Amino acid sequence: MRIVYFAVHDTDYPRNNLIRSEFVRQGHEVVVIERNLREGIARGSVHLLHRAVREAGWRRADVVILSELALQYALHARLLALMLRARLVVDAFVGMHETNVGDWGEVPVTSVRARLYAAFDKIAVRVADLTLTDTEVRARRWKEHGARDVSVVPVGAPDWASPTRAPETGPLQVLYYGNYIPLHGLDYVASAMTFLTDRTIEWTFIGNGSERPLIESQLRRAADGMPTRFLDHVSTYELARHIKESHVVLGVFGLSEKAGSVIANKVWQGLAGGRVVITRSSDALRELTFVSVDQLIQVDPECATDLAAQLDRLSRAHSTGELDTFTETSEWLETYVNSRASAVVQSLAERMLERGEGRTLR
C-alpha cells in the first residue's frame, strides 16, 4: 500500500514511530507530511495541504493516516483522502477535550472552546473509515462518539526503556515523572506520603506545568523530612537513567474518565525497565494480564492509605533483599504490542484488497 501520514507533529514520537515502522516492515510505502507546531489551525491547514500535494503528489494513495495529536485537522485529512482516492484512518490516541479541558483545565467545561474541542473529537472519528486508539476501553468510548470502526494499537515502550537491575543498597527510591496536571493525581500521592510509616523512602519528581508551584509545595509539606527532589523535564537519556536508579515508578492516580481508560506512557516504560509500577486500578489494565501482580500494582485512587501501605511493604521487601527486578517483562510487552500493531496493518491491507482498492499494493 501507499500510505500518506498526515499532520505528523514529531516523527520520533514513540507511537508515530511504532505505527509507521510497522507499515514499512510489512513492505508498504509511507510518505510523511509534517506540520509546523508554531502555526495555528487556519494557517497550518493550508500549508499542510500544500505540502501534502507537493510531497505526496497526485498519485493515488491507498490510505491517509491522520497522525496522533492532530484531530483538529480531521476535515483536512478527509479532503486529502478524497483527492487521493484513499481511505482515511484517524489516530485518536488523545482527544482534544479530554486533554485541554480535562487534563490541563485550559478552559471551563461549559465554555465555547470546550464545546469546540468536543466537536473536533467527534468529527474526527465520524469522518474516519477506521479509528485507531490505545486501549479496548477507549475503543468502546470512541464507538459511543460515533466511530464506525475502531482498532487498538497499544502504546508500548520505546527502545530506551530497557530492563536493568535495580539498586540493591540504600533506601527505596520512588520516581514520578510527567506533567503537574489532575490526570496524574499528585494530590493523592501527597496524601499517601503523610500516611507512610517508613520515612526513609526517597522521592524524585520530574516535570513541569502551571500547577507545579502549588503541587510541589504540597508534596514538600507531605514529605516532612523524607529526602525529596524536584527536577524539570529531562532528556530521554536522563529519564532512562532515573528509571534505572529507581525501585518504584508511579503511574497515574487521577479520577477522570481518561485516567481510568489509559495505560500511561510511564506505566509501559516502568514495566519495560523492570521496575515495580504502582498506578490506579482501571479496566484498561486488564489487557496486561501477562504482567505479574507483584510488578504492576493497582491501588484505589480514592484511598491514599492504599498507596501508602504498598510503599511501606515494598520498602520492607527492599531492605531484606526480597524486592524483585522483572527483567523478562520487556520482551513480553514488545511481543504483545508488535503483534497488535502488525494485526492492524495486515487487516487494513486485506480489507483494501477485498474491496479492490489496493492498486498500489507492492
Side-chain angles (χ1 to χ4, degrees):
M1 292 186 296
R2 188 166 189 259
I3 315 297
V4 176
Y5 225 118
F6 186 66
V8 176
H9 75 291
D10 182 0
T11 55
D12 291 327
Y13 192 68
R15 179 172 183 82
N16 193 275
N17 191 34
L18 167 69
I19 297 174
R20 283 189 298 108
S21 297
E22 186 56 36
F23 275 106
V24 173
R25 190 190 70 80
Q26 293 195 29
H28 305 299
E29 176 188 358
V30 179
V31 178
V32 175
I33 310 300
E34 296 187 67
R35 62 186 171 102
N36 187 338
L37 298 179
R38 292 172 294 183
E39 294 180 332
I41 296 177
R43 185 180 180 185
S45 60
V46 173
H47 289 171
L48 268 173
L49 286 172
H50 181 262
R51 282 196 295 274
V53 171
R54 185 183 67 224
E55 297 176 31
W58 289 101
R59 286 177 53 203
R60 170 173 174 159
D62 293 295
V63 179
V64 170
I65 302 179
L66 179 62
S67 181
E68 72 289 338
L69 309 181
L71 297 187
Q72 64 270 38
Y73 296 106
L75 290 178
H76 307 90
R78 179 79 264 177
L79 176 60
L80 179 63
L82 290 171
M83 292 165 58
L84 300 178
R85 293 174 293 165
R87 292 283 170 173
L88 176 61
V89 175
V90 169
D91 190 355
F93 174 52
V94 174
M96 297 189 72
H97 187 277
E98 66 183 4
T99 301
N100 296 314
V101 181
D103 289 355
W104 291 98
E106 178 186 297
V107 293
V109 176
T110 57
S111 67
V112 173
R113 183 168 290 185
R115 289 194 289 270
L116 185 61
Y117 288 143
F120 275 131
D121 291 343
K122 291 180 181 179
I123 289 170
V125 299
R126 289 177 181 178
V127 300
D129 296 300
L130 173 66
T131 298
L132 301 181
T133 191
D134 57 316
T135 69
E136 297 292 346
V137 174
R138 291 169 70 75
R140 292 194 293 272
R141 194 199 69 175
W142 286 124
K143 287 180 180 178
E144 292 171 356
H145 284 315
R148 285 174 280 178
D149 191 7
V150 185
S151 292
V152 173
V153 178
V155 172
D159 292 339
W160 57 261
S162 56
T164 57
R165 298 296 304 178
E168 296 181 1
T169 59
L172 187 77
Q173 301 289 330
V174 179
L175 173 66
Y176 164 86
Y177 58 94
N179 295 308
Y180 287 79
I181 54 179
L183 171 71
H184 299 288
L186 281 171
D187 54 341
Y188 171 87
V189 175
S191 180
M193 292 170 76
T194 65
F195 290 108
L196 287 168
T197 57
D198 188 339
R199 310 302 292 180
T200 66
I201 295 174
E202 295 190 0
W203 300 78
T204 299
F205 294 91
I206 301 174
N208 292 313
S210 59
E211 295 188 16
R212 176 177 171 178
L214 177 63
I215 296 176
E216 182 175 327
S217 176
Q218 184 180 6
L219 289 166
R220 287 186 184 277
R221 289 195 304 271
D224 190 26
M226 285 186 289
T228 306
R229 58 177 173 169
F230 295 85
L231 306 174
D232 292 336
H233 283 309
V234 297
S235 67
T236 298
Y237 173 82
E238 285 295 305
L239 182 56
R241 180 177 64 81
H242 283 290
I243 294 175
K244 181 179 179 180
E245 294 173 353
S246 70
H247 298 100
V248 177
V249 172
L250 298 180
V252 298
F253 304 97
L255 298 175
S256 67
E257 179 184 7
K258 181 178 178 181
S261 66
V262 300
I263 303 177
N265 283 316
K266 54 191 170 182
V267 170
W268 291 98
Q269 293 158 8
L271 293 174
R275 297 301 176 262
V276 173
V277 173
I278 307 180
T279 192
R280 61 153 289 172
S281 58
S282 75
D283 289 341
L285 293 174
R286 292 177 182 175
E287 297 175 34
L288 301 182
T289 54
F290 53 85
V291 178
S292 168
V293 294
D294 292 324
Q295 183 184 14
L296 179 56
I297 299 173
Q298 300 183 50
V299 295
D300 183 347
E302 297 188 85
C303 181
T305 56
D306 197 0
L307 174 58
Q310 292 292 346
L311 289 171
D312 277 331
R313 181 183 64 81
L314 292 171
S315 184
R316 289 193 298 271
H318 170 59
S319 66
T320 58
E322 298 175 294
L323 186 61
D324 290 331
T325 299
F326 301 85
T327 55
E328 72 284 355
T329 305
S330 177
E331 185 176 347
W332 296 344
L333 293 176
E334 183 178 9
T335 299
Y336 171 66
V337 172
N338 288 344
S339 66
R340 295 296 299 264
S342 176
V344 168
V345 171
Q346 186 173 348
S347 174
L348 184 58
E350 289 173 352
R351 279 185 282 181
M352 296 295 291
L353 283 173
E354 289 173 1
R355 295 169 180 170
E357 297 176 340
R359 298 180 188 174
T360 60
L361 281 169
R362 292 185 174 182

